[in-house]
Amino acid sequence: MMSRKFLSFLLVTSCIGALPDAVFAAEAASRAGGAKHRPATRAKVPSSAPAGAARPAAHHAKARPLPGEDVMVTSMRHGGYGATETMTRVEMERFVQGSSPMMMLARRPGINFVANDPLGVDTWGSSLYMRGFQQDQLGVTLDGVPLGAQTYLPYNGQSINFSILSDNIERMDVSDGGGDVALPATTNLGGSIQIVSRDPADHFGGKIAQMFGSYNSFRTFGRVDSGRLNASGTKFTVSYARSDGDKWKGHGEQFDQQVNAKLVQPIGQESTVKIFFNWNDATQFNYADRTIGMLRDLGHRNDYYYPDYTRAYLAAEGTFSGALAAYDAAGGDALDASYFDGVTHSSGYLGGINAHLVLTRHLAWNSVAYGQAANQWGTWTTPYTNLPLLKPMCPVT
């Protein structure tokens, strides 16, 4: 059997937001002077005031600062939709490089992630649940771009594993309650995962990381940051990763390579334009589905027949050998455990522009224009389907 999909999207989203004076002033002061956010300063009562003198009422009179004293008042408001938690870059660094972002989120309460491979990147054999909602019922975005249902070969987006390298994620904001209705998502909002990529560094530099593991596993990651190129602050980053390794049971490999690029162009004091591009190419030999009964009777190492085509051919005829023969004699569905192989391929592009433009002291414009194209297919060599012109029957793809 074969499942093949070619997807292409080109969309634009925009929004306008009002900026309170206090927030605008606080952000401008912070960026200009590098000062950290400080709470509002209370006016002091002069020491010469008589004992028991009342403090000035906040709603009836303004406190006058003493000569030479600076008073700065800031006001910030954050709206939440359910409980929102943030996983930072520091927390993500604790995982083995190349781990799936979904696997990292499993450290959060209410989130459960299961996978049949060590890094959680096998799209066929992994799933995430958030307080009872499945991964195709969550709103998932990357820099404001909706990634669609995070299922096997998604019809309306792209898997997060193939959209960005986990090394290039700055933070992940998770809302395990009802998702924000303003979130650009094409799925049910049983919760939301908003992923923000890392900006290029202000100074020239780079990083090279290498991972080796059992079953011939390896992963190489390299990143280069240009630093600020001119007075306006233009900067960019480019990274590449290549990973490969054999399955821990059965035969076959799981290969993936990706390129991530991002350019940031500041405009004035507060506005920015960010351009991003991601490319991926992955081919995965998947793991066979097994019931509890199969695992008990056939063992945890039982998998596809690949590359033993002869045994798969005989099994398709109904002639089983080894543990499968005993399993069939005991009344088990030996044919369902006789697939030859299962392979997934995905290659795609994801690019776009994020624009944050502060138009006036009271008005800001945010736009996201993006495009995505993907070529995805999956195959299973099944004993249930035969070529009608050939006898006896044989597995076909």
Side-chain angles (χ1 to χ4, degrees), residues 180-204:
D180 183 359
V181 294
L183 186 75
T186 56
T187 57
N188 294 333
L189 290 179
S192 63
I193 301 173
Q194 300 182 64
I195 300 173
V196 180
S197 63
R198 294 173 60 188
D199 283 347
D202 290 335
H203 302 284
F204 174 78

Side-chain angles (χ1 to χ4, degrees), residues 7 9-13 138-150 154-160 163 182-187 189 193-195 276 349-351 354 368-372:
L7 308 176
F9 300 96
L10 180 62
L11 298 172
V12 179
T13 62
L138 308 175
V140 182
T141 64
L142 171 62
D143 290 337
V145 175
L147 296 181
Q150 294 299 292
Y155 68 94
N156 59 352
Q158 186 168 281
S159 168
I160 184 59
S163 300
L183 186 75
T186 56
T187 57
L189 290 179
I193 301 173
Q194 300 182 64
I195 300 173
F276 59 90
Y349 304 87
L350 176 64
N354 271 303
V368 180
Y370 70 94
Q372 183 225 339

Side-chain angles (χ1 to χ4, degrees), residues 62-85:
K62 294 183 178 180
R64 296 182 179 181
L66 296 176
E69 181 181 7
D70 293 330
V71 177
M72 182 177 69
V73 179
T74 64
S75 174
M76 300 188 72
R77 180 180 180 183
H78 299 278
Y81 298 86
T84 302
E85 296 185 84

Side-chain angles (χ1 to χ4, degrees), residues 384-395:
Y384 292 105
T385 305
N386 66 293
L387 292 176
L389 299 180
L390 296 178
K391 294 183 180 181
M393 68 177 184
C394 64

Side-chain angles (χ1 to χ4, degrees), residues 228-246:
R228 292 177 175 266
L229 301 176
N230 49 42
S232 67
T234 305
K235 54 186 179 179
F236 70 88
T237 181
V238 178
S239 57
Y240 171 78
R242 177 188 177 96
S243 61
D244 199 358
D246 296 332

Side-chain angles (χ1 to χ4, degrees), residues 120-188:
V121 296
D122 188 318
T123 55
W124 173 255
S126 62
S127 58
L128 180 138
Y129 298 88
M130 182 185 294
R131 298 194 181 277
F133 289 98
Q134 300 180 22
Q135 57 197 33
D136 61 345
Q137 298 173 315
L138 308 175
V140 182
T141 64
L142 171 62
D143 290 337
V145 175
L147 296 181
Q150 294 299 292
T151 56
Y152 179 71
L153 300 182
Y155 68 94
N156 59 352
Q158 186 168 281
S159 168
I160 184 59
N161 295 328
F162 301 149
S163 300
I164 187 173
L165 296 166
S166 57
D167 316 71
N168 291 328
I169 296 177
E170 179 64 27
R171 73 174 193 273
M172 293 187 284
D173 299 326
V174 182
S175 174
D176 52 17
D180 183 359
V181 294
L183 186 75
T186 56
T187 57
N188 294 333

